[in-house]
Amino acid sequence: MTCIQNPATGRELELAEVHAATKPKRVVVVGGGVAGLEAARMAAARGHHVVLFEEAAELGGQVLLAARAPARAEYAGIVRFLVAQVRKLGVNVRLALKATPSEILAERPDAVVVATGSHPYIPLVPGCDGKHVVTDREVLAGEATVGTNVVVVDDVHTQEALSTAELLLEQGSVSK
Ligand SMILES: Cc1cc2nc3c(=O)[nH]c(=O)nc-3n(C[C@H](O)[C@H](O)[C@H](O)COP(=O)(O)OP(=O)(O)OC[C@H]3O[C@@H](n4cnc5c(N)ncnc54)[C@H](O)[C@@H]3O)c2cc1C
């Protein structure tokens, strides 16, 4: 049993109890999606000094995009919780700042957590490099203009394609 929001679920013996670190360290977390936020939250809860870099102007990463789809607004609740916790625990959050090796090393970190997410998956089908082909993330972010007749291609069967299709239908595109 696992939980997409709580890494301790199903690993309670290993992760449930939070122990204070014997020696507080300087920890840099790169990326303020849910993975980086959870890493920052846990490191700070254990008494480490944590700096978190996020390239975007807002914390949350892909979850903020996913929550734009119809009936998925509640998905952003995990971001609201984690952001409140990292603020409460005194994590030093640097927004709108792309972390580079020099910026990271300037913090003199004992540990660096790289939580920079992923690139969108693009299936290898003929024509996938066409100018009229866009990703789910571009559609959800409102960065892509699509027509009224749209084909959503998904060969990995994830929530991303369904959410994108639902959003397109809501916007008036005929999605197949
Ligand atoms: C539409 C959609 C629906 C989804 N539905 C589900 C679902 O139902 N269930 C599920 O389990 N998963 C779902 N997912 C996937 C899930 O949301 C992601 O796996 C998860 O949010 C990834 O979190 P992350 O922190 O690893 O990465 P991200 O959210 O991608 O965060 C990485 C962050 O790092 C930042 N960053 C990158 N490089 C730098 C740098 N050099 N310096 C500073 N910051 C940097 C980025 O700006 C970004 O904010 C969905 C995703 C989408 C798009």
PDB file of all heavy atoms in Angstrom, residues 6-20 38 41-42 45-46:
ATOM      1  N   ASN A   6       1.723  10.856   0.882  1.00  0.00           N
ATOM      2  CA  ASN A   6       2.419  10.604   2.146  1.00  0.00           C
ATOM      3  C   ASN A   6       3.431   9.476   1.960  1.00  0.00           C
ATOM      4  O   ASN A   6       3.058   8.303   1.927  1.00  0.00           O
ATOM      5  CB  ASN A   6       1.397  10.226   3.220  1.00  0.00           C
ATOM      6  CG  ASN A   6       2.058   9.973   4.562  1.00  0.00           C
ATOM      7  OD1 ASN A   6       3.287  10.089   4.705  1.00  0.00           O
ATOM      8  ND2 ASN A   6       1.255   9.636   5.544  1.00  0.00           N
ATOM      9  N   PRO A   7       4.731   9.810   1.843  1.00  0.00           N
ATOM     10  CA  PRO A   7       5.736   8.774   1.582  1.00  0.00           C
ATOM     11  C   PRO A   7       5.849   7.747   2.700  1.00  0.00           C
ATOM     12  O   PRO A   7       6.374   6.651   2.475  1.00  0.00           O
ATOM     13  CB  PRO A   7       7.052   9.552   1.438  1.00  0.00           C
ATOM     14  CG  PRO A   7       6.748  10.981   1.597  1.00  0.00           C
ATOM     15  CD  PRO A   7       5.298  11.156   1.920  1.00  0.00           C
ATOM     16  N   ALA A   8       5.350   8.073   3.901  1.00  0.00           N
ATOM     17  CA  ALA A   8       5.487   7.130   5.022  1.00  0.00           C
ATOM     18  C   ALA A   8       4.446   6.013   4.965  1.00  0.00           C
ATOM     19  O   ALA A   8       4.611   4.973   5.613  1.00  0.00           O
ATOM     20  CB  ALA A   8       5.368   7.878   6.345  1.00  0.00           C
ATOM     21  N   THR A   9       3.391   6.197   4.172  1.00  0.00           N
ATOM     22  CA  THR A   9       2.342   5.169   4.098  1.00  0.00           C
ATOM     23  C   THR A   9       2.913   3.846   3.589  1.00  0.00           C
ATOM     24  O   THR A   9       3.576   3.811   2.559  1.00  0.00           O
ATOM     25  CB  THR A   9       1.197   5.630   3.169  1.00  0.00           C
ATOM     26  OG1 THR A   9       0.666   6.837   3.681  1.00  0.00           O
ATOM     27  CG2 THR A   9       0.097   4.577   3.077  1.00  0.00           C
ATOM     28  N   GLY A  10       2.698   2.796   4.324  1.00  0.00           N
ATOM     29  CA  GLY A  10       3.210   1.476   3.947  1.00  0.00           C
ATOM     30  C   GLY A  10       4.659   1.271   4.346  1.00  0.00           C
ATOM     31  O   GLY A  10       5.199   0.182   4.178  1.00  0.00           O
ATOM     32  N   ARG A  11       5.290   2.340   4.868  1.00  0.00           N
ATOM     33  CA  ARG A  11       6.689   2.209   5.315  1.00  0.00           C
ATOM     34  C   ARG A  11       6.815   2.781   6.728  1.00  0.00           C
ATOM     35  O   ARG A  11       7.811   3.421   7.085  1.00  0.00           O
ATOM     36  CB  ARG A  11       7.622   2.970   4.352  1.00  0.00           C
ATOM     37  CG  ARG A  11       7.601   2.357   2.949  1.00  0.00           C
ATOM     38  CD  ARG A  11       8.038   3.338   1.910  1.00  0.00           C
ATOM     39  NE  ARG A  11       9.470   3.560   1.940  1.00  0.00           N
ATOM     40  CZ  ARG A  11      10.082   4.530   1.255  1.00  0.00           C
ATOM     41  NH1 ARG A  11       9.380   5.345   0.510  1.00  0.00           N
ATOM     42  NH2 ARG A  11      11.378   4.676   1.328  1.00  0.00           N
ATOM     43  N   GLU A  12       5.749   2.546   7.528  1.00  0.00           N
ATOM     44  CA  GLU A  12       5.673   3.170   8.847  1.00  0.00           C
ATOM     45  C   GLU A  12       6.837   2.774   9.753  1.00  0.00           C
ATOM     46  O   GLU A  12       7.344   3.604  10.513  1.00  0.00           O
ATOM     47  CB  GLU A  12       4.346   2.820   9.540  1.00  0.00           C
ATOM     48  CG  GLU A  12       3.140   3.563   8.996  1.00  0.00           C
ATOM     49  CD  GLU A  12       2.590   2.983   7.705  1.00  0.00           C
ATOM     50  OE1 GLU A  12       3.119   1.938   7.263  1.00  0.00           O
ATOM     51  OE2 GLU A  12       1.650   3.563   7.126  1.00  0.00           O
ATOM     52  N   LEU A  13       7.277   1.503   9.656  1.00  0.00           N
ATOM     53  CA  LEU A  13       8.367   1.072  10.536  1.00  0.00           C
ATOM     54  C   LEU A  13       9.648   1.846  10.235  1.00  0.00           C
ATOM     55  O   LEU A  13      10.430   2.167  11.117  1.00  0.00           O
ATOM     56  CB  LEU A  13       8.627  -0.433  10.368  1.00  0.00           C
ATOM     57  CG  LEU A  13       7.577  -1.355  10.982  1.00  0.00           C
ATOM     58  CD1 LEU A  13       7.916  -2.800  10.682  1.00  0.00           C
ATOM     59  CD2 LEU A  13       7.478  -1.124  12.479  1.00  0.00           C
ATOM     60  N   GLU A  14       9.825   2.166   8.977  1.00  0.00           N
ATOM     61  CA  GLU A  14      11.042   2.822   8.522  1.00  0.00           C
ATOM     62  C   GLU A  14      10.976   4.352   8.671  1.00  0.00           C
ATOM     63  O   GLU A  14      11.936   5.012   9.038  1.00  0.00           O
ATOM     64  CB  GLU A  14      11.176   2.453   7.043  1.00  0.00           C
ATOM     65  CG  GLU A  14      12.440   2.757   6.331  1.00  0.00           C
ATOM     66  CD  GLU A  14      12.220   2.512   4.825  1.00  0.00           C
ATOM     67  OE1 GLU A  14      11.261   1.817   4.433  1.00  0.00           O
ATOM     68  OE2 GLU A  14      13.006   3.060   4.067  1.00  0.00           O
ATOM     69  N   LEU A  15       9.771   4.917   8.388  1.00  0.00           N
ATOM     70  CA  LEU A  15       9.691   6.380   8.217  1.00  0.00           C
ATOM     71  C   LEU A  15       8.764   7.107   9.186  1.00  0.00           C
ATOM     72  O   LEU A  15       8.764   8.345   9.211  1.00  0.00           O
ATOM     73  CB  LEU A  15       9.212   6.705   6.785  1.00  0.00           C
ATOM     74  CG  LEU A  15      10.113   6.308   5.626  1.00  0.00           C
ATOM     75  CD1 LEU A  15       9.452   6.659   4.294  1.00  0.00           C
ATOM     76  CD2 LEU A  15      11.457   7.030   5.715  1.00  0.00           C
ATOM     77  N   ALA A  16       7.967   6.406   9.958  1.00  0.00           N
ATOM     78  CA  ALA A  16       6.909   7.110  10.695  1.00  0.00           C
ATOM     79  C   ALA A  16       7.454   8.086  11.728  1.00  0.00           C
ATOM     80  O   ALA A  16       6.942   9.180  11.882  1.00  0.00           O
ATOM     81  CB  ALA A  16       5.975   6.105  11.347  1.00  0.00           C
ATOM     82  N   GLU A  17       8.501   7.690  12.457  1.00  0.00           N
ATOM     83  CA  GLU A  17       8.986   8.574  13.520  1.00  0.00           C
ATOM     84  C   GLU A  17      10.054   9.516  12.982  1.00  0.00           C
ATOM     85  O   GLU A  17      10.988   9.097  12.302  1.00  0.00           O
ATOM     86  CB  GLU A  17       9.565   7.745  14.668  1.00  0.00           C
ATOM     87  CG  GLU A  17       8.472   7.176  15.542  1.00  0.00           C
ATOM     88  CD  GLU A  17       9.033   6.375  16.687  1.00  0.00           C
ATOM     89  OE1 GLU A  17      10.072   6.787  17.243  1.00  0.00           O
ATOM     90  OE2 GLU A  17       8.424   5.335  16.997  1.00  0.00           O
ATOM     91  N   VAL A  18       9.885  10.792  13.323  1.00  0.00           N
ATOM     92  CA  VAL A  18      10.851  11.792  12.876  1.00  0.00           C
ATOM     93  C   VAL A  18      11.824  12.052  14.017  1.00  0.00           C
ATOM     94  O   VAL A  18      11.445  12.528  15.082  1.00  0.00           O
ATOM     95  CB  VAL A  18      10.120  13.102  12.487  1.00  0.00           C
ATOM     96  CG1 VAL A  18      11.111  14.151  12.018  1.00  0.00           C
ATOM     97  CG2 VAL A  18       9.075  12.834  11.414  1.00  0.00           C
ATOM     98  N   HIS A  19      13.085  11.682  13.785  1.00  0.00           N
ATOM     99  CA  HIS A  19      14.100  11.866  14.827  1.00  0.00           C
ATOM    100  C   HIS A  19      14.911  13.120  14.551  1.00  0.00           C
ATOM    101  O   HIS A  19      15.269  13.389  13.399  1.00  0.00           O
ATOM    102  CB  HIS A  19      15.052  10.664  14.867  1.00  0.00           C
ATOM    103  CG  HIS A  19      14.355   9.368  15.136  1.00  0.00           C
ATOM    104  ND1 HIS A  19      13.866   9.038  16.375  1.00  0.00           N
ATOM    105  CD2 HIS A  19      14.027   8.339  14.319  1.00  0.00           C
ATOM    106  CE1 HIS A  19      13.287   7.849  16.318  1.00  0.00           C
ATOM    107  NE2 HIS A  19      13.365   7.404  15.080  1.00  0.00           N
ATOM    108  N   ALA A  20      15.206  13.861  15.609  1.00  0.00           N
ATOM    109  CA  ALA A  20      16.049  15.047  15.441  1.00  0.00           C
ATOM    110  C   ALA A  20      17.444  14.600  14.992  1.00  0.00           C
ATOM    111  O   ALA A  20      17.960  13.580  15.461  1.00  0.00           O
ATOM    112  CB  ALA A  20      16.146  15.800  16.756  1.00  0.00           C
ATOM    113  N   GLU A  38       8.436  18.194   0.140  1.00  0.00           N
ATOM    114  CA  GLU A  38       8.411  17.162   1.183  1.00  0.00           C
ATOM    115  C   GLU A  38       9.823  16.908   1.726  1.00  0.00           C
ATOM    116  O   GLU A  38      10.014  16.737   2.936  1.00  0.00           O
ATOM    117  CB  GLU A  38       7.789  15.864   0.637  1.00  0.00           C
ATOM    118  CG  GLU A  38       7.816  14.673   1.576  1.00  0.00           C
ATOM    119  CD  GLU A  38       6.974  14.847   2.847  1.00  0.00           C
ATOM    120  OE1 GLU A  38       6.226  15.833   2.964  1.00  0.00           O
ATOM    121  OE2 GLU A  38       7.105  13.983   3.737  1.00  0.00           O
ATOM    122  N   ARG A  41      10.553  19.846   3.935  1.00  0.00           N
ATOM    123  CA  ARG A  41       9.769  19.756   5.180  1.00  0.00           C
ATOM    124  C   ARG A  41      10.412  18.775   6.156  1.00  0.00           C
ATOM    125  O   ARG A  41      10.616  19.071   7.327  1.00  0.00           O
ATOM    126  CB  ARG A  41       8.346  19.294   4.846  1.00  0.00           C
ATOM    127  CG  ARG A  41       7.448  19.150   6.058  1.00  0.00           C
ATOM    128  CD  ARG A  41       6.069  18.656   5.675  1.00  0.00           C
ATOM    129  NE  ARG A  41       6.011  17.205   5.512  1.00  0.00           N
ATOM    130  CZ  ARG A  41       5.752  16.320   6.493  1.00  0.00           C
ATOM    131  NH1 ARG A  41       5.527  16.752   7.716  1.00  0.00           N
ATOM    132  NH2 ARG A  41       5.716  15.032   6.254  1.00  0.00           N
ATOM    133  N   MET A  42      10.777  17.597   5.637  1.00  0.00           N
ATOM    134  CA  MET A  42      11.309  16.566   6.522  1.00  0.00           C
ATOM    135  C   MET A  42      12.703  16.946   7.043  1.00  0.00           C
ATOM    136  O   MET A  42      12.996  16.749   8.229  1.00  0.00           O
ATOM    137  CB  MET A  42      11.348  15.225   5.760  1.00  0.00           C
ATOM    138  CG  MET A  42      11.520  14.015   6.614  1.00  0.00           C
ATOM    139  SD  MET A  42      10.534  14.009   8.117  1.00  0.00           S
ATOM    140  CE  MET A  42       8.887  13.794   7.459  1.00  0.00           C
ATOM    141  N   ALA A  45      12.174  19.576   9.660  1.00  0.00           N
ATOM    142  CA  ALA A  45      11.567  18.990  10.870  1.00  0.00           C
ATOM    143  C   ALA A  45      12.623  18.266  11.704  1.00  0.00           C
ATOM    144  O   ALA A  45      12.514  18.177  12.927  1.00  0.00           O
ATOM    145  CB  ALA A  45      10.447  18.027  10.483  1.00  0.00           C
ATOM    146  N   ARG A  46      13.662  17.762  11.049  1.00  0.00           N
ATOM    147  CA  ARG A  46      14.728  17.058  11.778  1.00  0.00           C
ATOM    148  C   ARG A  46      15.804  18.014  12.298  1.00  0.00           C
ATOM    149  O   ARG A  46      16.786  17.592  12.900  1.00  0.00           O
ATOM    150  CB  ARG A  46      15.360  15.997  10.870  1.00  0.00           C
ATOM    151  CG  ARG A  46      14.337  14.919  10.467  1.00  0.00           C
ATOM    152  CD  ARG A  46      15.026  13.721   9.888  1.00  0.00           C
ATOM    153  NE  ARG A  46      15.931  13.143  10.860  1.00  0.00           N
ATOM    154  CZ  ARG A  46      16.989  12.398  10.557  1.00  0.00           C
ATOM    155  NH1 ARG A  46      17.260  12.138   9.304  1.00  0.00           N
ATOM    156  NH2 ARG A  46      17.765  11.913  11.500  1.00  0.00           N
TER     157      ARG A  46
END
